[in-house]
Amino acid sequence: MIFFQYEIMRIIDRLDKYIAYKGLNDNKVTVSCGLSSGLLSQARGGKCDIGKKSLDKILNFYQDLNRVWLITGVGDMLNTPSDELTAPADSDDTGAVSYTHLTLPTT
């Protein structure tokens, strides 16, 4: 009889993998994302989960981090260039983007 053995990773475990890959630390992530002090260590210890608001803050700041992978473990840790939304080169300093050059396909 064959049993499949697999490791179940929590969100915090996957986040730790990303943190190590990027050479970050808890303080850098916490401060950069505006998270509560101690949130990551409490999540590691099982005292709390990383909530939706905190996940959104992390994913908004670290935009190369794949949302689906972080939450489910499916896919690659990093977004591929086709997964990322990037502003066209003609965006100005205010963040406004001109789409006048955009041509839609005709049917």
Side-chain angles (χ1 to χ4, degrees), residues 52-66:
K52 183 185 178 325
K53 286 182 181 181
S54 296
L55 281 175
D56 286 343
K57 289 178 180 181
I58 293 166
L59 290 163
N60 284 331
F61 191 83
Y62 297 107
Q63 294 187 359
D64 63 333
L65 179 57
N66 183 335

Side-chain angles (χ1 to χ4, degrees), residues 64-70 73-80 83:
D64 63 333
L65 179 57
N66 183 335
R67 174 181 297 271
V68 174
W69 176 82
L70 181 61
V74 175
D76 296 325
M77 177 173 60
L78 302 177
N79 288 319
T80 59
D83 293 339

Side-chain angles (χ1 to χ4, degrees), residues 15-76:
L15 182 59
D16 280 342
K17 189 173 181 177
Y18 176 80
I19 289 170
Y21 174 79
K22 297 293 276 189
L24 303 170
N25 59 47
D26 285 6
N27 186 56
K28 175 97 172 151
V29 174
T30 301
V31 171
S32 297
C33 298
L35 303 175
S36 300
S37 178
L39 173 71
L40 300 180
S41 61
Q42 289 176 359
R44 277 187 207 99
K47 294 180 182 177
C48 70
D49 289 327
I50 299 177
K52 183 185 178 325
K53 286 182 181 181
S54 296
L55 281 175
D56 286 343
K57 289 178 180 181
I58 293 166
L59 290 163
N60 284 331
F61 191 83
Y62 297 107
Q63 294 187 359
D64 63 333
L65 179 57
N66 183 335
R67 174 181 297 271
V68 174
W69 176 82
L70 181 61
I71 295 170
T72 68
V74 175
D76 296 325

Side-chain angles (χ1 to χ4, degrees), residues 78-100:
L78 302 177
N79 288 319
T80 59
S82 62
D83 293 339
E84 296 174 4
L85 295 176
T86 55
D90 61 347
S91 63
D92 63 20
D93 290 338
T94 65
V97 178
S98 169
Y99 289 99
T100 56

